[in-house]
Amino acid sequence: MKLYSYWRSTAAYRVRIALNLKQAQYDIIPVHLVKNGGEQLKEKYKEINPQKLVPALKTKESGTLTQSMAIIEYLDEVLPGHNLLPDNAADRAFIRSLSQLVCCDIHPINNLRVLKYLTGEMLLSQDQKSTWYEHWVLEGLLAFEQRLKNRNRGGRYCLGSEPGMADCCLVSQLYNAHRFDISIANFSEIRRIEENCLKLEAFDKARPENQVDAE
Amino acid sequence: MKLYSYWRSTAAYRVRIALNLKQAQYDIIPVHLVKNGGEQLKEKYKEINPQKLVPALKTKESGTLTQSMAIIEYLDEVLPGHNLLPDNAADRAFIRSLSQLVCCDIHPINNLRVLKYLTGEMLLSQDQKSTWYEHWVLEGLLAFEQRLKNRNRGGRYCLGSEPGMADCCLVSQLYNAHRFDISIANFSEIRRIEENCLKLEAFDKARPENQVDAE
């Protein structure tokens, strides 16, 4: 398999963790989101993903897949080993919901293309951009923390004794929050889970700074 | 089951279609997103969904579920009848990816709370808000159209001979696009699918204007 990835993309980071948890063999094809006006915007990459976003996963069996959560669920369905989603329907709904809290309601409002549009087309200042970023990430993490408290207080991971899809989404989002200097000091559940995850090789190998295209 | 819903919420609309396709029995509990500063922001609703968003689905078996795609997948897993996701993993990845294109990369950037924040905290004008809305919805629909052309040109629905999760997401998003006067004239694949879906009772019953709380 080949993963179209950018070291700092949190959506690609999610999928890298999932691939590692599944012990999948894969090659990284770097797509530089900044250099030359963004390689993801070129015709060549649009043929791979018409959305002009990373990640995309090229597979022998199923062609090229896009959207990080769809890719993670695919990997979980076709590869043996470590389960990324729990066995019963209610637990799966909980894990998917936590994952979507991050992947729908934090990340897309704060990703590169949106931040660029805010300062470019909408003429907002860098300060306003930072206020925007902080608002949506804290709004999301606050709800994430509350949902952990309601359902799985004190858990080692988002649910159960092994990390899964929601942990992939959470840890990569936190990398982004740290990068923008957002304090997560008040989120004790989230902080514990992050710490537990980052001890694992699958998460460590997927870190932005450990990528071939890291700068 | 009880669905916390608002007639104009496209995320709730998605789930209403799915419930109808599954021929599920459910009651609507209206949550007014505008009146009194927004009922979804009150303590009472935050206990139901800490994210302060609709929809939420209250079930006897699994407690209260949130996030529209997680709810739809749950319904598909626990209820018999009409399948909302296809049988094989590659097709499921395609349908999830189309669904996420809408539910991650169009809707959350353009939903009520974000538009309010743009004009409120960020002090953008109504014109700028409209430019913002149009940009993200067209960007998303263009990619959706291209993906249909690449994979399922001429299809009656997003995939196969029955509507599924991606159709729920697409049709509800289009309602919102029409409401904001966005032309979809150039999207022939999307337009055909919308027309086919809206002929079905499950979609028709779920329409905003057919809800108990429609104004």
Side-chain angles (χ1 to χ4, degrees), chain B residues 44-80:
Chain B
K44 196 179 145 196
Y45 188 73
K46 270 170 75 179
E47 281 173 24
I48 293 156
N49 182 3
Q51 272 205 277
K52 303 171 280 179
L53 297 168
V54 293
L57 184 73
K58 200 168 173 179
T59 71
K60 261 189 199 142
E61 303 75 14
S62 309
T64 301
L65 312 178
T66 58
Q67 287 287 347
S68 61
M69 291 185 294
I71 294 173
I72 293 174
E73 295 237 17
Y74 173 84
L75 293 172
D76 206 36
E77 290 176 357
V78 301
L79 296 178

Side-chain angles (χ1 to χ4, degrees), chain A residues 51-52 66-67 69-70 73 77 92 96-97 100-101 104-105 108 113 117-118 132 135 139 147, chain B residues 51-52 66-67 69-70 73 77 92 96-97 100-101 104-105 108 113 117-118 132 135 139 147:
Chain A
Q51 271 204 279
K52 303 172 281 179
T66 58
Q67 287 288 347
M69 289 184 295
E73 295 238 17
E77 290 176 359
R92 270 198 301 281
R96 285 183 179 128
S97 177
Q100 289 164 24
L101 190 166
C104 301
D105 292 329
R113 62 178 194 157
Y117 195 82
L118 282 171
W132 171 276
H135 175 77
E139 180 87 0
R147 298 199 58 203
Chain B
Q51 272 205 277
K52 303 171 280 179
T66 58
Q67 287 287 347
M69 291 185 294
E73 295 237 17
E77 290 176 357
R92 269 198 302 280
R96 286 185 179 127
S97 177
Q100 289 165 23
L101 190 166
C104 301
D105 292 330
R113 63 178 193 156
Y117 195 81
L118 282 171
W132 171 276
H135 176 77
E139 180 86 1
R147 298 200 58 202

Side-chain angles (χ1 to χ4, degrees), chain A residues 5-156:
Chain A
S5 171
Y6 178 60
W7 65 297
R8 271 184 158 165
S9 157
T10 61
Y13 185 2
R14 283 171 213 151
V15 175
R16 295 195 301 260
I17 303 168
L19 282 160
N20 296 345
L21 285 169
K22 296 301 267 188
Q23 301 192 285
Q25 296 297 316
Y26 64 100
D27 298 314
I28 293 276
I29 305 182
V31 179
H32 203 298
L33 300 190
V34 183
K35 220 163 54 183
N36 303 323
E39 289 176 2
Q40 79 282 14
L41 304 177
K42 310 292 182 208
E43 282 307 315
K44 197 179 145 197
Y45 188 74
K46 272 170 72 178
E47 281 173 24
I48 292 155
N49 182 3
Q51 271 204 279
K52 303 172 281 179
L53 297 169
V54 294
L57 184 73
K58 201 169 172 178
T59 70
K60 263 189 198 143
E61 303 74 16
S62 309
T64 301
L65 311 178
T66 58
Q67 287 288 347
S68 61
M69 289 184 295
I71 295 172
I72 293 173
E73 295 238 17
Y74 172 84
L75 293 171
D76 206 37
E77 290 176 359
V78 302
L79 296 178
H82 186 104
N83 289 332
L84 301 173
L85 282 112
D87 282 338
N88 85 69
D91 289 345
R92 270 198 301 281
F94 177 68
I95 288 304
R96 285 183 179 128
S97 177
L98 285 183
S99 303
Q100 289 164 24
L101 190 166
V102 171
C103 302
C104 301
D105 292 329
I106 301 177
H107 174 71
I109 315 177
N110 275 343
N111 72 1
L112 181 68
R113 62 178 194 157
V114 168
L115 298 182
K116 272 176 75 174
Y117 195 82
L118 282 171
T119 53
E121 302 295 323
M122 296 287 118
L123 304 171
L124 295 190
S125 67
Q126 292 297 322
D127 275 356
Q128 285 177 302
K129 184 180 91 170
S130 300
T131 302
W132 171 276
Y133 181 92
E134 183 173 4
H135 175 77
W136 297 114
V137 75
L138 288 180
E139 180 87 0
L141 292 179
L142 187 68
F144 199 109
E145 175 83 4
Q146 189 57 52
R147 298 199 58 203
L148 289 172
K149 280 184 175 154
N150 293 347
R151 173 71 201 271
N152 186 33
R153 189 186 291 263
R156 189 166 179 77

Side-chain angles (χ1 to χ4, degrees), chain B residues 167-181:
Chain B
D167 302 282
C168 299
C169 300
L170 176 64
V171 167
S172 51
Q173 185 61 57
L174 293 173
Y175 159 77
N176 210 252
H178 300 316
R179 197 182 143 203
F180 280 80
D181 283 328

Side-chain angles (χ1 to χ4, degrees), chain A residues 182-200:
Chain A
I182 307 298
S183 168
I184 61 163
N186 291 330
F187 304 138
S188 57
E189 302 291 321
I190 286 174
R191 276 172 38 223
R192 188 186 55 253
I193 290 172
E194 182 189 33
E195 201 183 310
N196 289 329
C197 286
L198 287 176
K199 284 178 195 156
L200 304 175

Side-chain angles (χ1 to χ4, degrees), chain B residues 147-207:
Chain B
R147 298 200 58 202
L148 290 171
K149 280 185 175 153
N150 294 348
R151 172 72 201 271
N152 186 31
R153 190 186 291 263
R156 189 166 178 76
Y157 303 109
C158 287
L159 194 71
S161 57
E162 300 285 344
M165 181 164 72
D167 302 282
C168 299
C169 300
L170 176 64
V171 167
S172 51
Q173 185 61 57
L174 293 173
Y175 159 77
N176 210 252
H178 300 316
R179 197 182 143 203
F180 280 80
D181 283 328
I182 306 299
S183 168
I184 61 163
N186 291 330
F187 304 137
S188 58
E189 303 291 320
I190 286 174
R191 276 172 37 223
R192 187 185 56 254
I193 290 172
E194 183 189 32
E195 201 183 311
N196 289 329
C197 286
L198 287 177
K199 284 178 194 156
L200 304 175
E201 197 192 348
F203 285 75
D204 188 60
K205 272 176 56 185
R207 280 177 188 250

